[in-house]
Amino acid sequence: MTYNGTLEGHNNEIFATTASLDGGLPSDDPSPEEFKAIQKKDRMRMGLAIGGCVLSIAIIVAGFALGAVAKENKGGGEVASTFRLPTALRPTEYQIRLQPFLNGNYSIAGHVQVELQVLQPTRNITIHLADIITHNDTVQILSYKPKEALTEEEEEEEGEGEEVTVTRHEYDLEKQWYVAHLAEELQVGQRVVLAMAFTGLLNDKMKGFYRSSYDTPEGDTVRLAATFLSPINARRVFPCLDEPAMKARFKMSLARQDNMTALANMPLLGSEPVPGQAGWVWDHFQTTVPMSTYIVAFVVSDFNHTENGNFSVWSRGAVLEEAKRALEIGPQLLSFFAEYLGVAYPLPKMDMVALPDFAAGAMENWGLVTYREETMLLPVGGAGASAVGQQRVAVVVAHELAHQWFGNLVTAQWWTDILLKEGMAAFMENVGMDALEPSWGLLDQMVLTMQTVMVADGLPSTHPVHQSVDRPADIGQIFDSITYSKGVSVIRMMSNFLTEETFKRGLVHYFEQFAYDVATQGDFWILLTSVALEDDRLPPNVTVTDIMDPWTVQAGYPVVTVTRAEDGRTANVTQERFLLYGNTTGKAEEEGSSRWWVPLSYTSAVNPNFTQTRPNIWMPRVASIILENLPAKDHWIFFNLQGTGYYRINYDDDNWATLNDQLLANHSVLDAGSRAQLLDDALSLARGGRLNYTTALGLMGYLAAEEEYVPWRSALNGLSYLEKMLTRTARYGDLKRYLLSLVGPLYDGVGFEDDLEAPHLEQLKRGVAVAWACKLGLHDCLTRAVTTFQTWITNDTAVSPNIKTTVYCVGVAEGGEGAWDAVWARYLEEEGAREKIHLMKALGCSKEPWILARYLDKAFTEGGGIRKQDASSVFASVSSNDLGRTLAWNFLRSEWDRIVNYYDTFSSAASFLTSATAEINTRIEQRELETFCRDHEASLSTSSRAVKIALENAAGNVAWMENYYEVIEKWLQENVEEVV
C-alpha cells in the first residue's frame, strides 16, 4: 500500500530532529526524573523542543488524575462503562519504529502506524496508551476504500488515501485510552491508518520496554533494554489495541548503536544507518504472522549467542556456556510439540534470551522467549546442576515453548479464558519433558502440584479458573496458583477420563479449527465433546461442558465421602465443598451447595488394580449416590486412583483402618501416586476437621519402609503445617522428635553424601531428606553440613548441588557474622544466576537478628547489591527463618511505603504479604495483620486477593491452634515416647 511513503515521511521528520544527537534527546527533553514529574500534571499540554521544532504534546499516564471519559462513539453506539475497547475497529497491521537511547537519558523516540478495519460505523478511534507522551501535531488518519470495492487497477494505483480530520484528542487515564474524535463517520468496510509520533521512557520497573544492566568480570557496567508486555504492557511501549483478541501483523524497526544487537519476534530483514547519527543502525525485521500485542517482544543488548539451526540462545558472554542445556532440549521440544499437536512451529526462527532483570520467571513471546537467568541457565562448572535445578529449567523451557501453540497460535479471546493459555501450557510442559526424560516421572509428580494448589483452593477467598476481569488491575492478579496449578490439575483429570488418545486427537482438531485465531473455553469443550462422543468417553447425554464447567466456573473442589454399609457391599457416596478450615471458620455449611460431576475411579483389596484411571462410575451433580457390588467390609476400597481426580476422598473409620493395615503390611500394593494422595488427603482432612488426627498421623507409621520420592514429598508437605504451627510452642521438641523418627530412616537410607550418578528421583529424594534432617537438628546432618561448608569457604571446594542449599544455610546459621560475610562476598562475585540464588537464600538463614535486618535493608536499597527482581526472594528467605519471621513482618509494616515505591512491579505486594504472614497463628498477630491491611488499603488495592488469602490463612491458623493444638499435644505425649 502506498500510504507507507507518506506516513513514513512524518516518521523520518521526527527522527531527523535527533540527527545531531549523540546517544539521547536534547537536554530539554525530559530526564527520567523530569518525566515522572510531568506525569503528575493532570492532562497537561506543553511545548517540547526537539531540534528547534516545537510540537504540541499530551501526557497520558495511568494511575494519576482522571482525564475526560470518552462518552461518544456516534454511529458505533455509546461506549460502555467497561474498560474494554469499543468493537467498531479491528487492527490488521502495525508498523513500529523505536529508537531507545539506552546510553543516554533512557528516552525512546517512537512512531507507530496502525491499519484498522472498520466493523461498525463510528466517529472516533479508540486505542490504548499508558506512560508515554504523544505528539498530537503528528497524528494523522488516512482512509481507504474497502479492498473488495477496488478494481485491480485501483488497487495497484492506490494513492495516499483521504485524510480524516481529528476534531479533538481525548484521554481517559483510568481506562488508559486515547480517543481521536473525527469530523466524519467511518463506514463499515473502510480501512483507516492512524499514525503518530511519541516519546517513551526506558523504565526501571521491569514492565513495558525497560532498562537493565550487568557488570562484566572486568568491572564494566553494560546496559541493555528488553520488553515484558504481558498482560497489558504493550500500551506502555506503543499506542495499540492492547487486547488479546485484537490480533494483527507487526512490522518492527529498532534503532541501536552499532556495538549492540537487536532481536525481535521475527528474523532480521535488513539494516541501514540512521541518517545523520554516526554509530546508529536501523534494524528492520520481517513482518510477523497475526498475533496479539502481549507477545510482541524486542531486546537490544551486547549479548553473545550460540545456535542450533534456526534455534538460538542468548545471554551475557560470561554465562553463555550455561545455556547449553536449554539449546539442547529446546529444538527437541519444538519438534515434539509439532508432531504431538499436528501443526508445525509457525515461525522461521526461535531465540531464547536469559535476562539479568526480569519480572516473571519467563515469557512466551512468539519467536523470542525471554527468561530470568536462573530459569534458562544451568551451571556447568564445579559439581554441576542439582536435580531440582535441572527439572526447573527443563519444565520452564517446555512451558514457554508449549505456549507457542497454546496462547500464541490459538489465543484466548479474553483473559477470562486463561485456562486455554496457562493451564494447557502447564499441562503440556509435563507431557513434553516426560517424552524427553521419562525417568524423571514428571507425570507422576503432577499430583504434588495438585496437592499444593488444593491448599489455596480450600480457602473461601479462592476464585474460579474461569473468572471475570473487571478492571486493568484485576488482570495481573489472575496469574496465580489457581490459574496455573488448578488449571493444569483439572486438565490432567480431563485427560485421564477422556484418555490420552482421545484428548490428543481433540487437540489436533483444536489447532486445525482455531490456528491464528482466538477461542473460548466453551469452544474447546464443544470440540472435545465431538471427539469424546466418537470414542465413547462420556456418560450418556452428557457433554464435556457439563462436566468441566463446574470445575472451572465454580470455585473450590469437593470432598467425596465413602461410607460403607455394615457388610461393606454397598456404600453411600456424598460430595460437598471442602474448606481447609471448614469446621473451624463456620463456612462449610454456607458453601455446601456446590456440586461437581465427579469421575470416580476405584479398586479394592480383592483384585487391586491401580493402572486404570478412567472412572468406574460418574457421580452427577447431586449430593449423594449409592454404590453397589462392593467387596466385604474386611477388604479395603480405594478411590481416586493415582490421584488423578481433583477432589479429596474420605472414608469411614473401618476403611481407613484396613488401608492403614495394608500400608504397614505391603505398601507397594498401592502405586506411589495413590499413596501420595492418601497421605495428603488424610492430613488435609484432619486439618479441615473431617478426620481425627489419630487416624491421619497413624497412616504415617509406614513411612519407614517408603522409598519413593513422590509419597515422601507429599507426606512432608502435609506434616510441614504442624511444624510451622508448633515452632513457637512448648511441644515443638516432642514434634521434632516425632518427625525425626520418620525422617531419620529416610536420611540413613539415602545418606548425606550426594551421588550425581543416581537416578533423578533418587537425587530429589536425597535433597529432601538432607534438608529435613538438618532442619530438625539431626546431629550427623548438622555436623556434616558445617564441615562441608567450612571446607568450601576455606578451600573453595565445590559443594555437591543436591545438598548445596542445605549446606550453605546451615553454614550461615551456625557460623555467625564471619560466615555471613564470606557468603555475601561470594554472592557479589558470583556470575552464575542459579548459584547466586543458592547463596541469596542461605544469607537469610542467619541466627543474628541484626544481620537479618541489615540484609532486608540491602534488598530494598538502590545499589545495595541485590537486584530488584530478587528482593521478594530475599524477603521470603528471611520470613521462612524461625528467627527472622517476626523481624520480616515488622519490617514490612514499618517500611511498607518504601517497599511499594522501590518495588513497584509484578505481584510484589502479594508475594511480600504472603511470605510475612504465612505462619501467623495468634490473636495478637491476627489483629496486627487486620490493622495493616486496613491502614494500607489503597496501596494494597491491586493485591486484593493476596490480602484476602493472608487474612483467611491467619484466621484459619488461629482457629486451628484453638481447636487442635491440645489434640496434637496429647497425641505427642502418648506416642512420642515410643519413638525416642
Side-chain angles (χ1 to χ4, degrees):
M1 297 176 64
T2 56
Y3 64 76
N4 290 350
T6 301
L7 295 181
E8 288 182 356
H10 285 273
N11 186 43
N12 291 335
E13 176 187 341
I14 296 300
F15 284 99
T17 63
T18 66
S20 62
L21 304 178
D22 184 14
L25 292 176
S27 59
D28 53 350
D29 190 63
S31 67
E33 291 73 21
E34 292 167 338
F35 193 96
K36 293 177 182 177
I38 291 172
Q39 291 178 336
K40 296 181 180 179
K41 299 182 180 180
D42 181 21
R43 299 196 60 218
M44 176 180 178
R45 298 181 59 84
M46 60 176 288
L48 176 63
I50 301 182
C53 176
V54 179
L55 301 176
S56 175
I57 68 171
I59 310 304
I60 311 99
V61 182
F64 292 98
L66 299 183
V69 177
K71 296 180 179 178
E72 297 181 35
N73 189 24
K74 296 178 181 177
E78 186 174 337
V79 176
S81 59
T82 177
F83 67 89
R84 295 289 301 276
L85 289 172
T87 57
L89 301 168
R90 180 171 296 277
T92 56
E93 183 176 286
Y94 292 84
Q95 292 189 31
I96 303 165
R97 284 177 173 252
L98 297 174
Q99 184 174 20
F101 295 106
L102 182 58
N103 293 303
N105 63 358
Y106 303 131
S107 61
I108 306 167
H111 188 277
V112 64
Q113 60 187 42
V114 54
E115 181 184 75
L116 302 152
Q117 181 182 4
V118 181
L119 304 179
Q120 302 170 23
T122 181
R123 296 185 70 94
N124 66 49
I125 296 177
T126 303
I127 61 175
H128 284 116
L129 284 176
D131 293 345
I132 59 179
I133 302 171
T134 62
H135 304 311
N136 286 355
D137 288 357
T138 69
V139 173
Q140 185 177 32
I141 300 174
L142 299 177
S143 173
Y144 299 84
K145 294 179 181 179
K147 285 187 176 180
E148 58 270 19
L150 299 175
T151 65
E152 289 185 12
E153 293 78 10
E154 286 176 325
E155 188 169 357
E156 291 176 0
E157 299 177 1
E158 187 178 16
E160 299 175 358
E162 297 182 3
E163 185 157 2
V164 179
T165 302
V166 178
T167 60
R168 182 161 55 99
H169 304 282
E170 191 169 32
Y171 306 96
D172 186 327
L173 303 184
E174 182 182 37
K175 295 179 181 178
Q176 300 174 345
W177 283 0
Y178 160 78
V179 184
H181 292 270
L182 310 178
E184 60 189 76
E185 184 175 71
L186 301 178
Q187 300 302 315
V188 174
Q190 277 183 289
R191 288 172 296 129
V192 294
V193 175
L194 166 66
M196 69 169 69
F198 57 91
T199 300
L201 179 72
L202 288 171
N203 68 76
D204 62 352
K205 304 299 184 183
M206 293 182 288
K207 60 184 178 182
F209 199 8
Y210 67 93
R211 63 185 187 264
S212 177
S213 66
Y214 68 92
D215 293 331
T216 68
E218 296 74 30
D220 298 322
T221 298
V222 180
R223 296 187 177 93
L224 63 135
T227 54
F228 182 52
L229 305 191
S230 178
I232 54 170
N233 289 316
R235 65 191 67 179
R236 301 181 188 279
V237 184
F238 56 92
C240 58
L241 289 82
D242 199 14
E243 294 186 359
M246 297 290 190
K247 290 190 171 185
R249 298 180 183 273
F250 292 82
K251 291 183 178 179
M252 192 74 217
S253 294
L254 291 170
R256 60 171 173 82
Q257 291 172 284
D258 56 14
N259 65 330
M260 308 190 87
T261 299
L263 298 173
N265 301 87
M266 295 293 286
L268 184 67
L269 184 64
S271 301
E272 61 178 335
V274 177
Q277 295 190 53
W280 280 86
V281 177
W282 277 115
D283 282 340
H284 307 290
F285 296 90
Q286 294 179 21
T287 305
T288 71
V289 297
M291 55 188 271
S292 304
T293 50
Y294 75 89
I295 51 174
V296 173
F298 24 93
V299 175
V300 179
S301 72
D302 74 336
F303 284 176
N304 293 348
H305 78 287
T306 184
E307 60 190 36
N308 179 358
N310 64 352
F311 199 111
S312 299
V313 289
W314 299 73
S315 74
R316 297 182 286 124
V319 293
L320 182 60
E321 185 68 15
E322 296 189 2
K324 181 179 179 180
R325 177 60 171 162
L327 183 60
E328 176 188 350
I329 64 174
Q332 296 179 55
L333 286 163
L334 282 185
S335 297
F336 171 80
F337 290 138
E339 180 179 354
Y340 191 93
L341 301 171
V343 56
Y345 171 63
L347 300 188
K349 65 92 176 175
M350 168 57 73
D351 290 308
M352 300 204 309
V353 186
L355 296 167
D357 296 292
F358 198 64
M363 180 59 206
E364 69 268 17
N365 317 299
W366 217 350
L368 180 58
V369 180
T370 45
Y371 298 83
R372 280 196 186 195
E373 287 188 338
E374 67 265 23
T375 60
M376 189 183 118
L377 306 179
L378 281 174
V380 292
S386 67
V388 169
Q390 293 180 47
Q391 184 168 307
R392 169 68 171 159
V393 166
V395 297
V396 172
V397 170
H399 182 95
E400 304 312 321
L401 295 184
H403 268 311
Q404 308 304 299
W405 285 264
F406 295 97
N408 296 6
L409 182 58
V410 179
T411 305
Q413 187 176 59
W414 182 241
W415 301 107
T416 298
D417 296 298
I418 198 169
L419 178 78
L420 302 181
K421 174 182 178 304
E422 297 303 344
M424 282 305 307
F427 179 77
M428 291 304 299
E429 75 187 34
N430 293 284
V431 174
M433 278 311 302
D434 184 69
L436 269 59
E437 298 285 359
S439 67
W440 288 10
L442 287 173
L443 299 183
D444 296 330
Q445 290 187 54
M446 291 171 74
V447 72
L448 300 173
T449 300
M450 181 179 75
Q451 292 169 358
T452 299
V453 75
M454 278 180 155
V455 174
D457 205 24
L459 297 174
S461 62
T462 188
H463 61 83
V465 174
H466 189 271
Q467 56 186 309
S468 62
V469 180
D470 298 323
R471 56 196 179 113
D474 293 334
I475 296 175
Q477 293 194 71
I478 67 175
F479 289 83
D480 62 3
S481 63
I482 299 299
T483 292
Y484 287 84
S485 299
K486 182 176 181 178
V488 66
S489 298
V490 297
I491 289 169
R492 170 175 174 258
M493 176 175 66
M494 180 171 63
S495 175
N496 275 275
F497 73 66
L498 291 177
T499 72
E500 182 187 10
E501 178 185 0
T502 297
F503 185 56
K504 178 180 175 181
R505 209 159 62 81
L507 294 179
V508 171
H509 290 322
Y510 176 65
F511 286 105
E512 288 175 349
Q513 183 168 337
F514 292 103
Y516 301 103
D517 204 348
V518 297
T520 66
Q521 177 176 290
D523 295 328
F524 192 39
W525 297 158
I526 291 170
L527 189 148
L528 288 174
T529 297
S530 65
V531 178
L533 290 175
E534 292 173 4
D535 296 349
D536 192 24
R537 303 301 194 209
L538 296 173
N541 304 314
V542 176
T543 67
V544 172
T545 304
D546 295 330
I547 295 170
M548 292 303 297
D549 268 0
W551 295 100
T552 58
V553 176
Q554 289 184 136
Y557 57 91
V559 52
V560 174
T561 302
V562 180
T563 307
R564 299 168 75 180
E566 189 66 31
D567 61 358
R569 298 295 182 177
T570 62
N572 183 40
V573 181
T574 64
Q575 64 161 305
E576 60 180 313
R577 181 176 175 181
F578 177 79
L579 290 170
L580 195 60
Y581 305 109
N583 286 2
T584 56
T585 61
K587 294 282 186 178
E589 184 176 346
E590 174 185 326
E591 301 291 346
S593 60
S594 299
R595 300 285 184 266
W596 293 262
W597 272 90
V598 184
L600 294 175
S601 60
Y602 60 90
T603 189
S604 75
V606 174
N607 185 23
N609 178 4
F610 286 83
T611 62
Q612 176 58 264
T613 57
R614 284 201 65 202
N616 301 73
I617 189 171
W618 281 92
M619 184 176 190
R621 298 184 68 184
V622 296
S624 65
I625 61 172
I626 300 296
L627 287 186
E628 299 178 338
N629 301 318
L630 299 175
K633 200 164 189 178
D634 56 347
H635 295 89
W636 53 260
I637 54 175
F638 185 96
F639 281 73
N640 197 13
L641 306 184
Q642 299 181 34
T644 54
Y646 190 72
Y647 54 89
R648 298 199 182 281
I649 287 288
N650 198 1
Y651 303 101
D652 55 65
D653 291 342
D654 290 338
N655 201 69
W656 279 114
T658 53
L659 282 170
N660 191 26
D661 291 342
Q662 179 65 70
L663 290 177
L664 293 171
N666 182 5
H667 65 271
S668 64
V669 171
L670 281 66
D671 74 285
S674 296
R675 298 198 299 273
Q677 191 60 21
L678 184 69
L679 299 179
D680 185 71
D681 279 349
L683 289 170
S684 299
L685 291 167
R687 182 174 169 181
R690 294 176 179 270
L691 183 67
N692 64 71
Y693 265 106
T694 298
T695 298
L697 293 174
L699 285 173
M700 307 299 133
Y702 95 96
L703 285 171
E706 180 61 76
E707 297 182 347
E708 298 287 339
Y709 166 71
V710 170
W712 263 113
R713 266 291 305 275
S714 183
L716 291 173
N717 287 349
L719 290 167
S720 67
Y721 183 74
L722 298 182
E723 196 274 336
K724 292 174 182 176
M725 290 299 98
L726 269 64
T727 299
R728 296 172 293 161
T729 70
R731 287 300 166 191
Y732 184 62
D734 289 343
L735 180 66
K736 281 178 63 177
R737 287 192 290 275
Y738 165 66
L739 293 176
L740 275 172
S741 75
L742 302 177
V743 174
L746 174 67
Y747 174 82
D748 293 339
V750 299
F752 182 88
E753 297 299 328
D754 208 354
D755 179 5
L756 299 181
E757 300 301 319
H760 180 79
L761 289 170
E762 187 71 13
Q763 293 186 52
L764 291 177
K765 185 173 68 171
R766 178 176 291 104
V768 169
V770 171
W772 270 87
C774 280
K775 178 180 178 65
L776 294 171
L778 187 66
H779 179 74
D780 182 78
C781 186
L782 290 176
T783 301
R784 287 173 175 266
V786 169
T787 301
T788 304
F789 176 84
Q790 291 172 343
T791 302
W792 168 64
I793 289 293
T794 304
N795 302 327
D796 200 24
T797 304
V799 179
S800 199
N802 292 310
I803 60 172
K804 181 178 292 186
T805 298
T806 299
V807 168
Y808 289 178
C809 182
V810 171
V812 169
E814 301 298 325
E817 182 180 2
W820 196 95
D821 289 343
V823 173
W824 176 251
R826 295 286 184 99
Y827 173 79
L828 295 178
E829 296 168 0
E830 179 59 43
E831 289 287 345
R834 187 155 290 278
E835 178 69 4
K836 287 183 82 74
I837 293 296
H838 287 305
L839 297 168
M840 183 170 58
K841 290 180 177 179
L843 290 166
C845 296
S846 175
K847 293 181 179 179
E848 298 286 350
W850 70 270
I851 290 179
L852 295 176
R854 183 182 65 180
Y855 191 33
L856 287 174
D857 186 67
K858 286 178 180 290
F860 298 96
T861 301
E862 198 76 49
I866 297 166
R867 289 188 177 274
K868 191 169 292 188
Q869 67 175 14
D870 295 326
S872 58
S873 296
V874 170
F875 191 86
S877 176
V878 175
S879 297
S880 63
N881 181 339
D882 289 341
L883 295 174
R885 190 180 68 81
T886 301
L887 189 150
W889 171 227
N890 290 337
F891 182 88
L892 185 76
R893 289 187 293 158
S894 63
E895 302 293 331
W896 178 251
D897 291 339
R898 170 187 173 188
I899 292 171
V900 170
N901 291 333
Y902 179 71
Y903 199 69
D904 176 25
T905 190
F906 202 76
S907 303
S908 55
S911 64
F912 295 133
L913 192 63
T914 300
S915 298
T917 63
E919 297 182 31
I920 282 179
N921 63 359
T922 66
R923 289 288 179 188
I924 189 168
E925 290 174 320
Q926 183 184 7
R927 286 194 292 271
E928 289 174 351
L929 174 60
E930 292 168 348
T931 300
F932 173 80
C933 293
R934 184 171 59 251
D935 291 347
H936 298 282
E937 183 177 1
S939 56
L940 286 168
S941 61
T942 58
S943 301
S944 56
R945 284 181 180 149
V947 171
K948 290 179 181 178
I949 290 171
L951 291 170
E952 288 177 2
N953 263 327
N957 291 345
V958 170
W960 186 91
M961 289 292 291
E962 293 175 351
N963 285 278
Y964 298 115
Y965 174 73
E966 292 182 0
V967 173
I968 300 299
E969 180 182 43
K970 181 180 179 181
W971 189 90
L972 290 171
Q973 288 173 336
E974 294 174 351
N975 292 273
V976 75
E977 298 301 327
E978 300 174 9
V979 298
V980 171

Coordinates of all heavy atoms in Angstrom, one line a residue, residues 40-65:
K40 N 2.7 13.7 36.6 CA 1.8 14.1 37.7 C 0.8 15.2 37.4 O -0.1 15.5 38.1 CB 2.6 14.4 39.0 CG 3.4 13.3 39.5 CD 4.1 13.7 40.8 CE 5.0 12.5 41.3 NZ 5.7 12.9 42.5
K41 N 1.1 15.9 36.2 CA 0.2 17.0 35.9 C -1.0 16.5 35.1 O -0.9 15.8 34.1 CB 1.0 18.0 35.0 CG 2.2 18.6 35.8 CD 3.0 19.6 35.1 CE 4.2 20.1 35.9 NZ 4.9 21.1 35.2
D42 N -2.1 17.0 35.5 CA -3.4 16.4 35.0 C -3.6 16.9 33.6 O -3.9 18.1 33.4 CB -4.5 16.9 35.9 CG -5.8 16.4 35.4 OD1 -5.8 15.4 34.7 OD2 -6.9 16.9 35.8
R43 N -3.4 16.0 32.6 CA -3.7 16.3 31.2 C -3.0 17.6 30.7 O -3.6 18.5 30.1 CB -5.2 16.4 30.9 CG -5.9 15.1 31.2 CD -7.3 15.1 30.6 NE -7.1 15.2 29.2 CZ -8.0 15.9 28.4 NH1 -9.0 16.6 29.0 NH2 -7.8 16.0 27.1
M44 N -1.8 17.8 31.1 CA -1.0 19.0 30.8 C -0.6 19.0 29.4 O -0.3 18.0 28.8 CB 0.3 19.0 31.7 CG 1.2 20.2 31.4 SD 2.6 20.0 32.5 CE 3.5 21.4 32.0
R45 N -0.7 20.2 28.8 CA -0.2 20.4 27.4 C 1.0 21.3 27.5 O 0.9 22.4 28.1 CB -1.3 21.0 26.5 CG -2.5 20.1 26.4 CD -3.6 20.7 25.4 NE -3.0 20.9 24.1 CZ -3.0 19.9 23.2 NH1 -3.4 18.7 23.4 NH2 -2.5 20.2 22.0
M46 N 2.0 21.0 26.7 CA 3.2 21.8 26.8 C 4.0 21.7 25.5 O 3.7 20.9 24.7 CB 4.1 21.4 28.0 CG 4.6 19.9 27.8 SD 5.7 19.4 29.1 CE 7.2 20.3 28.6
G47 N 4.9 22.6 25.3 CA 5.8 22.5 24.1 C 7.0 21.7 24.5 O 7.6 21.9 25.5
L48 N 7.4 20.9 23.6 CA 8.6 20.1 23.7 C 9.6 20.4 22.6 O 9.3 20.2 21.5 CB 8.3 18.6 23.7 CG 9.5 17.7 23.8 CD1 10.2 17.9 25.1 CD2 9.1 16.2 23.6
A49 N 10.7 21.1 22.9 CA 11.7 21.5 21.9 C 12.5 20.3 21.5 O 13.2 19.7 22.3 CB 12.6 22.6 22.4
I50 N 12.4 19.9 20.2 CA 13.3 18.9 19.7 C 13.9 19.4 18.4 O 13.3 19.6 17.4 CB 12.5 17.6 19.3 CG1 11.8 17.1 20.6 CG2 13.4 16.5 18.7 CD1 11.0 15.8 20.3
G51 N 15.2 19.7 18.5 CA 15.9 20.2 17.3 C 15.4 21.5 16.8 O 15.4 21.7 15.6
G52 N 14.8 22.3 17.6 CA 14.3 23.6 17.2 C 12.8 23.5 16.8 O 12.2 24.5 16.5
C53 N 12.3 22.3 16.7 CA 10.9 22.1 16.3 C 10.0 21.9 17.5 O 10.2 21.0 18.3 CB 10.8 20.9 15.4 SG 9.1 20.5 14.9
V54 N 9.0 22.8 17.7 CA 8.2 22.8 18.9 C 6.9 22.0 18.5 O 6.2 22.3 17.6 CB 7.8 24.2 19.3 CG1 6.8 24.1 20.5 CG2 9.0 24.9 19.7
L55 N 6.6 20.9 19.2 CA 5.5 20.1 19.0 C 4.5 20.2 20.2 O 4.9 20.3 21.3 CB 5.9 18.6 18.8 CG 6.9 18.3 17.7 CD1 7.3 16.8 17.7 CD2 6.3 18.6 16.3
S56 N 3.2 20.1 19.8 CA 2.2 20.1 20.9 C 2.1 18.6 21.4 O 2.1 17.7 20.6 CB 0.9 20.5 20.4 OG -0.1 20.4 21.3
I57 N 2.2 18.4 22.7 CA 2.1 17.1 23.2 C 1.0 17.0 24.2 O 0.5 18.0 24.7 CB 3.5 16.7 23.8 CG1 3.7 17.5 25.1 CG2 4.6 16.8 22.9 CD1 4.9 17.0 25.9
A58 N 0.7 15.7 24.5 CA -0.3 15.4 25.6 C 0.3 14.3 26.4 O 0.9 13.4 25.9 CB -1.6 15.0 25.0
I59 N 0.0 14.4 27.7 CA 0.5 13.4 28.6 C -0.5 12.4 28.9 O -1.6 12.7 29.3 CB 1.0 14.1 29.9 CG1 1.9 15.3 29.6 CG2 1.7 13.2 30.8 CD1 3.1 15.0 28.7
I60 N -0.2 11.1 28.8 CA -1.1 10.1 29.1 C -0.4 9.1 30.1 O 0.5 8.4 29.7 CB -1.5 9.3 27.9 CG1 -1.9 10.2 26.7 CG2 -2.6 8.3 28.1 CD1 -0.8 10.4 25.7
V61 N -0.8 9.1 31.3 CA -0.2 8.2 32.3 C -1.3 7.6 33.2 O -2.1 8.3 33.7 CB 0.8 9.0 33.2 CG1 1.4 8.1 34.2 CG2 1.8 9.7 32.4
A62 N -1.3 6.3 33.2 CA -2.3 5.6 34.0 C -2.0 5.8 35.5 O -0.9 5.8 35.9 CB -2.3 4.1 33.7
G63 N -3.1 6.0 36.3 CA -2.9 6.0 37.7 C -2.9 7.3 38.4 O -2.9 7.5 39.6
F64 N -2.9 8.4 37.6 CA -3.0 9.8 38.2 C -4.4 10.3 37.9 O -5.3 9.6 37.7 CB -1.9 10.7 37.5 CG -0.5 10.2 37.9 CD1 0.3 9.5 37.1 CD2 0.0 10.6 39.1 CE1 1.5 9.0 37.4 CE2 1.3 10.2 39.5 CZ 2.0 9.4 38.7
A65 N -4.5 11.6 38.0 CA -5.9 12.2 37.9 C -6.5 11.8 36.6 O -5.9 11.7 35.6 CB -5.8 13.7 38.0

